[in-house]
Amino acid sequence: MCGIVGYIGHRNCVPVILEGLRRLEYRGYDSAGIAVHSGGAIHVQKRAGKVADLAGSLDGGNGFLTATFGMGHTRWATHGEPNDVNAHPHGDASGRIALIHNGIIENYSSIRTKLLREGHVFRGGTDTEVLAHLIGAVYEKVGSLHEAVRLALSEVDGTYGIVVMSADDPSHMVAARRGSPLLIGVGQGEHFVASDASAVIEHTRHVAYLSDGEIAVITADGFRTSTIDDVGTEKVVEELNLELAQIERGGYDHFMLKEIHEQPSTIRDAMRGRLLVDEGNVKLGGLQHVMGRLLSARRVIVTACGTSWHAGLVAEYMLEQIARIPTEVEYASEFRYRNPLVNIDDVVFLISQSGETADTLAALREAKSKGATVLGVVNVVGSTIAREAHGGVYIHAGPEIGVASTKAFTSQLTVMALITLMLARARGMSREDGQILAREIASLPEKVQQILDGADEVKRIAHEFAGARNFLYLGRGSNFPVALEGALKLKEISYIHAEGYPAAEMKHGPIALIDERMPVVVVVPKDAIYEKVLSNIQEVRARKGRIIAIANEDDDEITGLAEFVIRVPRTYGFFGPILNIIPLQLLSYYIAVACGTNVDQPRNLAKSVTVE
Ligand code: F6R
């Protein structure tokens, strides 16, 4: 989704801003722009397309070689098509104010009508241009940029992370946030503002996160913050726990492939210091203070979006089957619109890689307002969901740059397995049984590595199917969500239509699709329903579907039934999804590469979906 980078200091701001925007490319965007302050004026350059196109279009004129104050933006279109005019920054009527904006101004239409009546002329179709004009109109009256932003925002409904600069005063920029993340990077005689730490990590490790409803005035030498009602606030400057190497490709062709291969270590990091194998138990600091509420919970609700929702579906099996806690899983995007029956005895887990997904955040707030205990299972430290939850567990997967989520999924599952084991033990599971599960969890990184060592075989199979236009993914029990996730991965990055189905449901409809051109990926571990899945495979074979089986190493029977077999080690049933998804991630990656799509920046997608 949109990205923001601002700089004020002593060096030429243009390379700093362009490099920051490049670091944010993974979030997804369709146009980019930059504004610099030079010679008492603001100069703007913006265009549809890539940051590289924007960089190539900048000549040395208009202060682009010398300015020390400026801001840049990557836009992911919501209102108005992705073209040069709608790209940010946007100016006000006077051309003296420039604004960049992440989020959506919901009442932009009524503000626009009011401004049109006052004689404003709009060039494009964005809500952001309307906000720029509104701030400009107030600025005309009050003469202070901070005050103009503050008063204008009090008229606005919706979400925003904004940065505003004025041609009249190069000493400061004003940033404000509601629902869309922003942080201030603190340097020596220079300050940064960004929507994501990866945009500033090259320059500073010291950051302050803006809270919802806060406005900041940022100068080269410092910053001050206040609420929208103009009450001063105190900010803690935190040290980023992030290395530059973590946000670079490190020799891999794509971030997605790098992140797939990181999984043995990211899964290990998720359990590090938490899994107590000898005790057959788990220690999770972020849940200690809510243990009483977790143990007395009437039920658990897990809510999330996309891949994280799939992790929730697997978690439902773990929590119900191992810890015996009634669990429901909800799409976060639907949660609050059906006036959910949530009460103070419920515990709601929010699973989110970014910790910023607008739908998931809204579900958190809805559940919290109804008195439930809300707990985050989040990757990005300090993100909004992490901060607003009553407690939770970080998955510690490190920055996930690839738009298609991979390592976050397996780390989410690992953390949900840890939570499950901890609750199961607290509810009476014996130490011996706990040890068996703990040993299984501890062995997962090695088993994932074993699967990754066979990546070349998956690549070979991928080449065989790169021309297919449809795929079916089948699985049963806790491997049904694996089928959903495998299908999601394929469609996201290769644009091939794919559907995930519970294997036994196939005969109730999708079986009509099967013929000799239909690849059918079946997850078929040797578990209690193995024979049933074999019957489903026979149904596909009878209709000449092309079967790719994800099966255990010691399964000989499958060899004669499937055209291709990808082997995975055995593990305890409900932890199987952590292994079974790995070949499906590789399969979609290699198919997408064979199809020639841009794996790290697939069309239309954004990494962090901060709008509803
Ligand atoms: C799929 C993917 C998305 C996200 C979803 C939720 O590969 O990345 O489906 O899983 O947008 O995002 P988070 O986990 O950041 O809340």
Side-chain angles (χ1 to χ4, degrees):
M1 206 129 276
C2 311
I4 282 177
V5 191
Y7 176 85
I8 185 163
H10 45 76
R11 12 176 181 167
N12 178 7
C13 63
V14 173
V16 175
I17 292 167
L18 289 177
E19 187 50 34
L21 292 181
R22 275 191 208 102
R23 299 264 181 219
L24 298 179
E25 282 187 313
Y26 76 96
R27 294 168 64 99
Y29 72 105
D30 42 53
S31 47
I34 187 166
V36 297
H37 190 288
S38 174
I42 292 174
H43 305 281
V44 174
Q45 183 85 333
K46 53 184 191 170
R47 56 179 50 217
K50 298 289 162 202
V51 173
D53 301 329
L54 172 70
S57 74
L58 295 175
D59 55 28
N62 289 336
F64 284 114
L65 279 183
T66 51
T68 56
F69 174 27
M71 62 189 187
H73 188 262
T74 47
R75 171 174 188 252
W76 186 84
T78 57
H79 294 54
E81 63 178 273
N83 57 26
D84 293 359
V85 172
N86 287 336
H88 302 199
H90 284 284
D92 74 329
S94 72
R96 309 284 298 162
I97 300 277
L99 163 76
I100 53 179
H101 166 223
N102 290 356
I104 292 181
I105 305 303
E106 285 165 6
N107 59 338
Y108 87 102
S109 178
S110 58
I111 298 172
R112 189 172 195 270
T113 308
K114 185 188 92 175
L115 291 171
L116 281 171
R117 259 191 247 116
E118 291 169 13
H120 288 251
V121 177
F122 295 97
R123 300 178 61 222
T126 69
D127 51 341
T128 304
E129 189 184 7
V130 173
L131 181 58
H133 277 244
L134 178 65
I135 292 171
V138 183
Y139 180 71
E140 287 269 293
K141 291 180 201 142
V142 299
S144 143
L145 189 61
H146 171 256
E147 195 58 3
V149 170
R150 193 179 79 73
L151 293 172
L153 289 180
S154 61
E155 289 184 42
V156 158
D157 295 331
T159 56
Y160 50 78
I162 59 168
V163 184
V164 194
M165 54 197 282
S166 156
D168 300 334
D169 188 349
S171 72
H172 69 281
M173 53 187 160
V174 176
R177 145 176 196 165
R178 182 159 84 197
S180 202
L182 273 188
L183 57 85
I184 298 167
V186 177
Q188 292 287 333
E190 58 183 0
H191 277 70
F192 308 80
V193 59
S195 50
D196 185 317
S198 58
V200 302
I201 183 71
E202 245 172 293
H203 310 291
T204 179
R205 308 190 68 80
H206 298 106
V207 300
Y209 295 94
L210 282 191
S211 302
D212 268 352
E214 265 182 333
I215 302 181
V217 174
I218 305 163
T219 67
D221 297 314
F223 68 91
R224 65 183 161 81
T225 53
S226 54
T227 65
I228 200 154
D229 302 320
D230 212 15
V231 177
T233 55
E234 292 292 322
K235 295 264 72 146
V236 179
V237 175
E238 301 174 33
E239 178 139 2
L240 282 175
N241 181 18
L242 178 70
E243 298 302 328
L244 196 54
Q246 288 179 293
I247 54 168
E248 291 182 334
R249 280 208 302 272
Y252 285 93
D253 287 344
H254 297 97
F255 281 110
M256 182 180 177
L257 188 62
K258 177 185 177 224
E259 287 158 8
I260 290 173
H261 281 274
E262 278 174 0
Q263 290 176 107
S265 59
T266 49
I267 293 172
R268 208 170 275 122
D269 288 345
M271 59 178 87
R272 195 185 301 283
R274 295 165 165 176
L275 184 65
L276 313 170
V277 177
D278 289 344
E279 292 169 38
N281 212 335
V282 169
K283 207 172 115 199
L284 294 167
L287 296 183
Q288 287 316 303
H289 64 293
V290 290
M291 250 335 240
R293 283 194 256 172
L294 264 165
L295 290 174
S296 61
R298 212 167 49 94
R299 64 173 176 166
V300 161
I301 299 171
V302 184
T303 181
C305 298
T307 290
S308 300
W309 179 72
H310 296 154
L313 292 177
V314 177
E316 180 178 23
Y317 280 91
M318 294 180 186
L319 288 165
E320 289 201 335
Q321 303 305 315
I322 304 173
R324 307 303 290 164
I325 300 174
T327 305
E328 285 169 28
V329 186
E330 299 255 4
Y331 276 120
S333 50
E334 290 292 317
F335 189 69
R336 69 192 180 289
Y337 293 111
R338 55 178 203 78
N339 194 12
L341 293 169
V342 178
N343 63 46
I344 50 170
D345 299 329
D346 291 327
V347 168
V348 180
F349 279 101
L350 295 304
I351 304 182
S352 175
Q353 186 286 127
S354 61
E356 300 293 349
T357 301
D359 290 317
T360 312
L361 182 57
L364 178 151
R365 289 173 179 162
E366 173 80 20
K368 207 173 178 182
S369 75
K370 294 199 149 120
T373 302
V374 294
L375 303 172
V377 174
V378 169
N379 191 30
V380 179
V381 176
S383 55
T384 311
I385 291 175
R387 283 185 287 131
E388 292 198 13
H390 293 121
V393 186
Y394 282 120
I395 65 170
H396 292 316
E400 191 178 64
I401 310 280
V403 167
S405 184
T406 53
K407 64 175 181 173
F409 180 68
T410 48
S411 294
Q412 288 164 345
L413 293 186
T414 305
V415 163
M416 291 315 295
L418 297 180
I419 292 171
T420 300
L421 176 54
M422 184 183 75
L423 293 177
R425 284 298 314 278
R427 288 164 66 95
M429 176 186 273
S430 71
R431 179 183 170 138
E432 290 68 31
D433 286 347
Q435 283 170 332
I436 293 170
L437 294 188
R439 273 197 289 273
E440 268 313 318
I441 298 173
S443 72
L444 290 168
E446 216 169 288
K447 292 177 178 174
V448 169
Q449 187 59 58
Q450 224 174 300
I451 302 169
L452 292 171
D453 291 343
D456 282 349
E457 173 60 8
V458 184
K459 188 174 182 178
R460 196 178 64 75
I461 298 171
H463 278 271
E464 187 76 26
F465 290 99
R469 292 323 306 150
N470 296 287
F471 266 75
L472 204 53
Y473 284 72
L474 304 177
R476 294 187 80 155
S478 61
N479 284 303
F480 162 51
V482 174
L484 291 176
E485 175 62 8
L488 178 65
K489 287 289 87 88
L490 186 70
K491 55 192 156 196
E492 278 182 304
I493 56 169
S494 69
Y495 320 142
I496 294 172
H497 170 246
E499 279 190 61
Y501 250 88
E505 273 294 306
M506 179 189 62
K507 58 186 175 294
H508 297 290
I511 199 164
L513 296 168
I514 296 175
D515 62 14
E516 66 285 355
R517 281 167 310 180
M518 176 64 99
V520 183
V521 180
V522 190
V523 186
V524 53
K526 277 233 165 188
D527 57 14
I529 43 174
Y530 172 72
E531 300 292 339
K532 306 267 180 212
V533 183
L534 284 193
S535 306
N536 303 137
I537 287 178
Q538 292 290 10
E539 291 157 8
V540 175
R541 270 168 63 85
R543 285 150 190 94
K544 296 195 170 50
R546 301 187 66 186
I547 296 162
I548 304 159
I550 312 300
N552 288 140
E553 291 159 326
D554 56 345
D555 180 352
D556 298 328
E557 212 175 334
I558 196 75
T559 317
L561 295 179
E563 188 178 347
F564 296 95
V565 182
I566 303 172
R567 302 287 177 176
V568 293
R570 274 198 192 228
T571 184
Y572 176 70
F574 299 110
F575 304 152
I578 299 175
L579 303 183
N580 300 332
I581 192 59
I582 308 287
L584 302 190
Q585 296 170 344
L586 287 167
L587 188 68
S588 14
Y589 172 77
Y590 286 121
I591 290 177
V593 170
C595 290
T597 58
N598 184 346
V599 174
D600 281 336
Q601 287 168 37
R603 69 181 181 209
N604 303 341
L605 292 181
K607 181 65 188 161
S608 174
V609 185
T610 49
V611 296
E612 271 188 53

